[in-house]
């Protein structure tokens, strides 16, 4: 079933009416009119439409862009009729989203970088009133496990913005790689940005590719990513994962660790190597976070806080003496001390800490934003503790999890997560009060890239499930399967290597990189054990 462009919008608008499906307006010769505060949006629109023959000159009435501050900042009204083509937003951001909707109303060929054959840029008559449900509509992209070149990150941002997603959580560091330069700490990239080989498939198989992997971003690379995102009304939230997930940094500077001298981790899974509690380690963290704040204007800065096995700390005489001197009850308190140090430093820089839900275990710093990944109960826990929270439970929105039980799915890991379950996800757990519900500021889908070695593989795992997620956080409409059938033509025109709705193709399989499928019952039991003693 193929729907009209208006009926097939993704995410679905809050309200849409189209008086006559046979009425349309040709945009080919229409000028573009806008006030000075919308010059950036106009520049972006011309950048995507002029290459496909929609000139958008500046003189005369035609497509009218305007701001009405009485509207929600990200909301918009779009009207297409014989009398007018107009987009009115509550801010420049709202106008931008209205224009993304206008792009979806065009024939898919106009999403390409050049027209493959002559076509008319016609859009149906329509009146749309729209605004998002949530303020945080995010995607976490892991560029530490597999490095993603700048051009691919920019393209990823373009696809996010097309679906009205507005936060790119950029996971920049982990055990398997450190991806940004920090003044005064050159070995972070000289040593920490590469590894001699990578694990092939699930860690349960113990196989490796024996091929070096690496890469890192220059400061100007990250500035370019931030600027490109800002022009598309996407905020880039960087993450430096600490005090665990630090093996790449400790490989570069062993004095940051607890006596071990590891190399950059080549296996997947959780490393036992943590930051120590020395003045040197504290200075390191402050230097890194200061540099991150120089590069990223986001109010929110990720500090990780997840998956810190306490073994090294329990066995370290220095850490145990530190505990005694500072009256820290146990290793959990050491973890909370580290999170507080990072949050305090960010506060001096006018920023706000963002951590995975483990930061709640020792008492999260006041004002910290929580990413609740270990199930809906952690979303509720954060909200009831007075923290703003972003819902990202793994069994609902971890897009590295397998999409079906088809034998051709590449490296099938995790629980089964078909697109229907992503679309059904509700970020707000039941049983919250009105005030607690208001603390659920949104949700994000997470793309951990252990098994995504290229942008092509990221495309396959992300789309079309990210289109379903976009509806969850913007507005969920009816008839999603039918709308998706139309929408995949847009994805194809945008050059996305999406997973076909009919299932994987022969070349999608990875018989060399075996997976480890899990049942939801098994995973839920594991999560329950992980969170049993908060």
């Amino acid at each position: 079933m193929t729907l009209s462009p208006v009926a097939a919008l993704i995410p679905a608008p809050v309200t849409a009416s189209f008086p006559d499906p046979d009425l349309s307006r040709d945009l080919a010769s229409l000028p573009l009119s806008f006030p000075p505060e919308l010059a950036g949006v106009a520049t972006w629109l011309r950048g995507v439409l002029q290459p496909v023959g929609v000139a958008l000159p500046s003189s005369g009435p035609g497509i009218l862009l305007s701001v009405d501050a009485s509207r929600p900042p990200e909301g918009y009204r779009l009207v297409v009729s014989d009398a007018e083509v107009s987009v009115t937003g509550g801010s420049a951001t709202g106008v931008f989203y209205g224009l993304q909707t206008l792009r979806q109303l065009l024939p898919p060929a106009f999403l390409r970088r050049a027209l493959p054959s002559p076509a008319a840029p016609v859009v149906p008559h329509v009146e749309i009133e729209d605004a998002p449900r949530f303020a945080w509509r995010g995607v976490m992209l892991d560029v530490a496990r597999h490095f993603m070149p700048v051009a691919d990150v920019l393209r990823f941002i373009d696809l996010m913005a097309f679906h009205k997603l507005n936060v790119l959580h950029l996971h920049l560091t982990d055990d398997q790689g450190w991806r940004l330069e920090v003044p005064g700490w050159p070995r972070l990239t000289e040593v920490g940005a590469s590894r001699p080989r990578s694990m092939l498939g699930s860690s349960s198989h113990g196989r490796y590719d024996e091929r070096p992997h690496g890469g890192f971003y220059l400061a100007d690379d990250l500035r370019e990513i931030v600027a490109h995102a800002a022009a598309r009304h996407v905020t880039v939230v960087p993450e430096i994962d600490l005090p665990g997930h630090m093996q790449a940094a400790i490989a570069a500077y062993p004095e940051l660790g607890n006596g071990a001298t590891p190399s950059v981790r080549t296996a997947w899974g959780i490393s036992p190597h943590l930051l120590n509690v020395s003045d040197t380690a504290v200075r390191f963290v402050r230097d890194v976070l200061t540099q991150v704040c120089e590069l990223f204007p986001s109010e929110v800065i990720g500090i990780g806080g997840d998956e810190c096995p306490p073994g090294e700390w329990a066995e370290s005489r220095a850490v145990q003496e530190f505990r005694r001197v500072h009256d820290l009850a146990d290793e959990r308190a050491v973890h909370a001390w580290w999170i507080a140090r990072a949050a305090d430093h960010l506060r001096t820089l006018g920023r706000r800490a963002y951590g995975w839900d483990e930061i709640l275990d020792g008492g999260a710093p006041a004002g910290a934003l929580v990413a609740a990944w270990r199930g809906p109960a952690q979303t509720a826990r954060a909200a009831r503790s007075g923290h703003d929270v972003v819902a990202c439970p793994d069994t609902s929105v971890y897009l590295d999890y397998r999409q079906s039980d088809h034998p051709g799915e590449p490296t099938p890991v995790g629980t089964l997560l078909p697109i229907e379950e992503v679309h059904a996800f509700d970020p707000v757990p039941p049983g919250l009060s009105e005030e607690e519900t208001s603390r659920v500021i949104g949700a994000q889908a997470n793309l951990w890239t252990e098994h995504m070695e290229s942008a092509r593989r990221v495309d396959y795992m992300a789309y079309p499930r990210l289109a379903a997620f976009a509806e969850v956080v913007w507005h969920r409409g009816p008839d999603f399967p039918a709308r998706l059938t139309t929408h995949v033509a847009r994805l194809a025109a945008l050059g996305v290597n999406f997973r076909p709705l009919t299932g994987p193709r022969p070349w999608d399989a990875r018989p060399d990189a075996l997976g480890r499928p899990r049942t939801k019952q098994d995973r839920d039991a594991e999560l329950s054990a992980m969170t049993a003693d908060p």
Side-chain angles (χ1 to χ4, degrees):
M1 178 180 180
T2 301
L3 301 178
S4 71
V6 174
L9 293 171
I10 291 179
V14 174
T15 65
S17 61
F18 44 108
D20 186 334
D22 294 327
L23 295 177
S24 61
R25 187 77 183 270
D26 192 327
L27 305 184
S29 59
L30 293 184
L32 183 63
S33 176
F34 54 90
E37 64 266 31
L38 296 179
V41 174
T43 297
W44 165 81
L45 183 65
R46 285 176 170 143
V48 294
L49 289 185
Q50 285 180 343
V52 287
V54 184
L56 301 175
S58 297
S59 60
I63 301 174
L64 175 63
L65 310 183
S66 62
V67 171
D68 175 1
S70 68
R71 293 183 174 276
E74 295 186 293
Y76 67 89
R77 180 174 185 263
L78 168 63
V79 176
V80 177
S81 67
D82 286 337
E84 66 175 311
V85 178
S86 65
V87 178
T88 303
S91 69
T93 304
V95 174
F96 177 80
Y97 291 138
L99 291 173
Q100 290 287 19
T101 298
L102 186 68
R103 289 182 76 203
Q104 287 200 17
L105 294 172
L106 285 163
F110 287 89
L111 299 174
R112 296 182 179 273
R113 298 183 183 183
L115 278 179
S117 59
V122 294
V123 294
H125 284 199
V126 68
E127 183 172 332
I128 292 174
E129 294 274 356
D130 203 8
R133 178 185 177 191
F134 291 107
W136 186 291
R137 305 181 302 280
V139 185
M140 191 286 302
L141 179 63
D142 170 14
V143 295
R145 270 50 176 267
H146 278 103
F147 178 73
M148 182 176 280
V150 172
D152 292 330
V153 177
L154 302 184
R155 175 179 169 274
F156 189 85
I157 291 167
D158 288 341
L159 292 173
M160 285 179 58
F162 184 70
H163 291 88
K164 302 183 175 72
L165 299 168
N166 69 341
V167 178
L168 174 61
H169 172 173
L170 199 60
H171 186 78
L172 285 165
T173 67
D174 217 298
D175 301 312
Q176 294 83 6
W178 186 279
R179 304 298 179 211
L180 78 160
E181 294 180 305
V182 178
W185 300 87
R187 287 174 60 82
L188 289 173
T189 50
E190 292 171 359
V191 174
S194 65
R195 58 181 184 262
R197 61 179 187 170
S198 302
M199 186 161 267
L200 266 180
S202 168
S203 58
S204 61
H205 303 290
R207 299 178 62 188
Y208 292 85
D209 63 6
E210 306 305 331
R211 184 178 63 194
H213 179 82
F216 63 92
Y217 302 108
L218 301 173
D220 279 350
D221 292 335
L222 295 171
R223 292 187 182 102
E224 179 183 2
I225 288 169
V226 167
H228 185 89
R232 288 146 185 81
H233 301 268
V234 171
T235 298
V236 183
V237 174
E239 181 192 354
I240 304 298
D241 206 345
L242 63 93
H245 288 281
M246 272 281 169
Q247 185 168 325
I250 294 168
Y253 293 97
E255 62 269 30
L256 299 175
N258 294 280
T261 56
S263 58
V264 176
R265 189 173 174 89
T266 59
W268 311 136
I270 302 171
S271 168
H273 302 302
L274 312 179
L275 291 176
N276 62 39
V277 291
S278 66
D279 290 345
T280 299
V282 172
R283 178 171 62 86
F284 164 73
V285 166
R286 288 174 177 166
D287 287 351
V288 171
L289 293 179
T290 297
Q291 175 66 1
V292 165
C293 290
E294 285 287 324
L295 297 172
F296 295 90
S298 168
E299 175 199 359
V300 174
I301 304 293
I303 58 171
D306 60 318
E307 297 176 330
C308 293
E312 279 195 343
W313 286 344
E315 296 171 5
S316 165
R317 290 183 179 179
V319 173
Q320 294 308 306
E321 176 62 13
F322 185 86
R323 274 187 52 207
R324 186 188 67 78
V325 170
H326 292 270
D327 196 24
L328 300 176
D330 53 20
E331 285 70 38
R332 176 181 294 177
V334 177
H335 176 269
W337 178 88
W338 255 123
I339 297 303
R341 298 290 74 70
D344 287 348
H345 185 64
L346 288 174
R347 195 175 297 112
T348 68
L349 299 172
R351 309 302 179 90
R352 181 184 185 191
Y354 177 42
W356 302 104
D357 61 52
E358 284 95 333
I359 70 173
L360 294 167
D361 294 348
L369 177 62
V370 176
W373 72 277
R374 295 180 297 173
Q378 298 304 303
T379 303
R381 177 187 175 202
R384 288 171 177 149
S385 299
H387 290 277
D388 289 345
V389 57
V390 175
C392 51
D394 70 327
T395 56
S396 295
V397 291
Y398 271 34
L399 302 187
D400 50 313
Y401 286 8
R402 71 190 195 277
Q403 304 190 60
S404 78
D405 285 324
H406 190 290
E409 295 289 4
T411 316
V413 298
T415 60
L416 181 63
L417 186 55
I419 190 170
E420 296 82 6
E421 291 191 19
V422 175
H423 192 257
F425 168 58
D426 189 343
V428 180
L432 296 184
S433 68
E434 184 177 345
E435 180 183 355
E436 291 163 351
T437 296
S438 71
R439 293 196 174 279
V440 184
I441 65 170
Q444 68 180 37
N446 293 338
L447 281 158
W448 300 107
T449 61
E450 287 94 335
H451 313 301
M452 301 178 216
E453 75 289 349
S454 65
R456 186 170 184 237
R457 189 71 64 189
V458 170
D459 274 7
Y460 179 91
M461 298 304 292
Y463 290 99
R465 289 188 294 182
L466 262 184
F469 176 78
E471 289 229 325
V472 168
V473 288
W474 183 276
H475 175 255
R476 187 163 27 215
D479 304 319
F480 179 72
R483 285 185 288 121
L484 187 62
T485 300
T486 299
H487 190 69
V488 293
R490 300 181 185 120
L491 297 179
L494 288 165
V496 180
N497 182 48
F498 62 91
R499 179 188 183 273
L501 301 181
T502 53
R505 301 153 297 200
W507 57 87
D508 293 319
R510 285 293 307 275
D512 60 327
L514 301 175
R516 184 190 170 215
R518 302 185 65 179
T519 66
K520 191 169 186 303
Q521 181 180 15
D522 173 50
R523 179 57 173 164
D524 285 346
E526 182 179 44
L527 291 171
S528 180
M530 289 168 62
T531 58
D533 183 23

